[in-house]
Amino acid sequence: MMPKRPFRTVTPQGTEILIEPLAHVRSCSVGFWVRRGSCWERPAEEGLAHFIEHTVFKGTERYPNPQVMAEATDRLGGNVDAFTGKESACFYGKVLRDQLPALVDLLGELVTTPRFREDELARERQVILEEINQSEDQPDDWASELFYARFWAGGTLAHPILGTREQVAGYGPAQTLAFFRNTYRAPNLLIVAAGDLRPEPFLDLVRPILARLPEGAEPCAPRPNRPRAFLLNAPRRELQQVSLVMGFPAFPHQHPDRSALSLLSFVLGGGMASRLFMELREKQALCYQVGTYLSQYGDTGALQVGASCAPERARELVRRTVRECARLRREGIGADELERAKLQLRTSLVLNQESVSNRMFALAHQAIHMDRWRSLDEQVRDLERVDPAQVLRVAQAVLRPEAFGVSALGTGRTTGIRPRDLSDGL
């Protein structure tokens, strides 16, 4: 029996709507996605996408202030949240089915009728400035920001989603409203719902919201992002450990070798039996935890390694990381290693299907980042078709020492990573 495709429609104004009814649940998850994240900001607008994600909650036409908005959110009985990414922003919630109309109404208000009052913007500016401070106080987060800023220097992935203190401090109602009106338009909006709901009643709920959306949107695209190798030592005296983010250029979302890349990442650092975990933690006791993760976008990507260790052990950790990557690039992986990785990723795909929120997020991911919808069965088949030879080919394409980037936060004059540490591991 073929898996049933989600219901999909596109309004004449260009808003895409995806709905996946699930008969076995009694809850609903809804996301209003704006296909414009921080990558679409101009240099004078950095941080505005995130600034708007915060400030729409400070008052709309029907929910005029934070108190009324918070009370309406609590009355839903579920949860409402939002986030801003590099390529999109999302306002979402999960509720029982009888609260679905109220959830849709609230989310619709956020993306169509925010008030942007100066007094509320002033208060929220301080909140975001505290968020920036918090990010800098968390070594792993800040090491990652430093990595992005240099790995994609000159591209739109380089600037931080939160923006800078100087820019955020200057955003007022006029600039915020101008960015909102230019961005929150019908062709840029994607509405996704999954759970205990039916398409036609759901469409009836969103029609009043769609009628409020401005039509048309200026054609634009982020500046190209071209990865570059770098080595950064950033001293931080108050830290007891060095936070390391290392990475190689990788594939964008739609690359035909994406499944092999995911398996390569898992074998390298995705589990307790992964190459880096066994070598760096279990054998050498260089760190408490180490792992790999993929950051993929429309035009590029990165296979990254994250770890923390004592400053005097950072050089050895980097050398051994480079050495393991070189060995994987040279020798590839065994059939048993590949099968373990397939089982882990297949299990993750299946378990994600058991959450209505994850179903909603997965549908949105495919709509925003992929060229077409792929069922769970097709995604599993893509994984199962990967063989060791394909993983080796991908490893040789991705794990290139000349393209390696290293961000080290917390090193000192005698503990900094040196260029020869990168070559000594080969």
Side-chain angles (χ1 to χ4, degrees):
M1 182 176 179
M2 291 292 291
K4 190 174 182 181
R5 297 179 65 87
F7 172 88
R8 178 182 182 272
T9 187
V10 180
T11 70
Q13 294 73 32
T15 300
E16 183 178 6
I17 303 171
L18 292 170
I19 304 169
E20 185 175 25
L22 301 171
H24 62 285
V25 300
R26 292 295 176 264
S27 62
C28 309
S29 181
V30 179
F32 281 53
W33 296 76
V34 183
R35 303 173 191 260
R36 293 290 187 270
S38 62
C39 277
W40 275 266
E41 297 165 340
R42 298 180 178 91
E45 300 170 336
E46 292 182 7
L48 259 178
H50 175 259
F51 189 76
I52 284 173
E53 175 230 309
H54 272 243
T55 52
V56 295
F57 283 94
K58 300 307 163 185
T60 67
E61 287 185 3
R62 295 194 52 226
Y63 306 94
N65 58 58
Q67 178 72 29
V68 175
M69 177 72 69
E71 290 173 354
T73 300
D74 285 350
R75 280 196 296 270
L76 292 173
N79 63 75
V80 175
D81 209 340
F83 64 85
T84 303
K86 298 286 187 181
E87 295 182 317
S88 62
C90 177
F91 304 85
Y92 65 98
K94 180 180 178 182
V95 294
L96 300 181
R97 60 181 176 182
D98 59 329
Q99 293 299 318
L100 179 62
L103 172 64
V104 171
D105 178 76
L106 189 147
L107 295 176
E109 284 279 303
L110 294 174
V111 300
T112 59
T113 65
R115 302 180 75 185
F116 297 135
R117 287 176 42 179
E118 172 55 45
D119 58 337
E120 295 296 348
L121 294 187
R123 276 189 282 270
E124 199 60 25
R125 275 196 295 270
Q126 293 305 311
V127 172
I128 295 172
L129 291 173
E130 290 299 327
E131 187 178 2
I132 294 173
N133 291 337
Q134 178 178 292
S135 176
E136 292 186 11
D137 282 346
Q138 295 176 334
D140 292 347
D141 287 354
W142 193 238
S144 184
E145 287 290 356
L146 294 173
F147 179 90
Y148 268 69
R150 286 153 182 81
F151 195 62
W152 280 296
T156 51
L157 290 172
H159 69 253
I161 292 171
L162 302 183
T164 66
R165 292 184 183 85
E166 295 74 21
Q167 286 177 298
V168 170
Y171 291 146
Q175 192 170 11
T176 305
L177 184 59
F179 188 89
F180 177 85
R181 286 175 172 170
N182 187 55
T183 302
Y184 284 60
R185 309 182 72 88
N188 294 340
L189 189 66
L190 165 71
I191 301 175
V192 185
D196 187 11
L197 73 173
R198 292 181 293 121
E200 283 305 322
F202 184 80
L203 291 176
D204 290 339
L205 293 176
V206 301
R207 283 192 181 100
I209 299 165
L210 298 175
R212 300 196 296 265
L213 288 169
E215 297 184 16
E218 66 177 59
C220 63
R223 296 191 304 275
N225 293 283
R226 297 183 177 89
R228 59 187 65 189
F230 74 95
L231 172 56
L232 172 69
N233 287 284
R236 283 275 289 267
R237 291 183 178 178
E238 72 276 16
L239 299 179
Q240 297 185 58
Q241 288 189 310
V242 173
S243 289
L244 290 154
V245 176
M246 303 165 275
F248 300 91
F251 306 144
H253 287 293
Q254 293 187 26
H255 196 281
D257 285 326
R258 59 187 171 272
S259 293
L261 177 63
S262 295
L263 290 163
L264 171 67
S265 176
F266 189 86
V267 168
L268 181 61
M272 293 180 65
S274 67
R275 300 283 186 92
L276 291 177
F277 193 90
M278 292 302 299
E279 174 65 18
L280 301 181
R281 172 175 163 148
E282 297 303 314
K283 294 180 182 178
Q284 306 300 329
L286 288 169
C287 58
Y288 172 65
Q289 61 182 19
V290 60
T292 56
Y293 50 98
L294 288 171
S295 300
Q296 292 178 283
Y297 302 97
D299 64 338
T300 186
L303 171 55
Q304 292 163 265
V305 180
S308 299
C309 66
E312 64 273 13
R313 314 202 76 185
R315 290 175 178 170
E316 182 68 12
L317 187 146
V318 170
R319 282 196 294 267
R320 290 186 178 275
T321 297
V322 173
R323 189 177 303 161
E324 283 302 312
C325 292
R327 185 165 73 91
L328 187 50
R329 187 173 188 266
R330 183 175 60 251
E331 301 173 2
I333 65 175
D336 182 63
E337 204 171 20
L338 179 58
E339 287 307 310
R340 291 201 308 270
K342 286 182 178 180
L343 177 58
Q344 289 287 337
L345 296 188
R346 186 170 69 244
T347 301
S348 178
L349 283 172
V350 172
L351 292 181
N352 279 340
Q353 294 288 301
E354 298 182 2
S355 159
V356 292
S357 296
N358 287 341
R359 296 282 276 259
M360 185 274 288
F361 282 114
L363 279 176
H365 170 82
Q366 296 209 46
I368 295 170
H369 299 300
M370 306 303 292
D371 56 343
R372 62 182 179 84
W373 179 75
R374 289 171 171 81
S375 68
L376 172 64
D377 290 341
E378 184 176 357
Q379 294 176 66
V380 170
R381 285 195 299 270
D382 285 346
L383 279 175
E384 295 300 337
R385 279 194 289 262
V386 176
D387 58 22
Q390 186 180 1
V391 175
L392 175 60
R393 175 169 55 79
V394 169
Q396 291 171 344
V398 172
L399 303 179
R400 296 179 292 112
E402 71 275 12
F404 195 46
V406 179
S407 168
L409 177 65
T411 54
R413 187 175 59 183
T414 61
T415 57
I417 312 304
R418 304 159 300 182
R420 67 173 178 268
D421 295 321
L422 309 185
S423 57
D424 284 351
L426 300 177

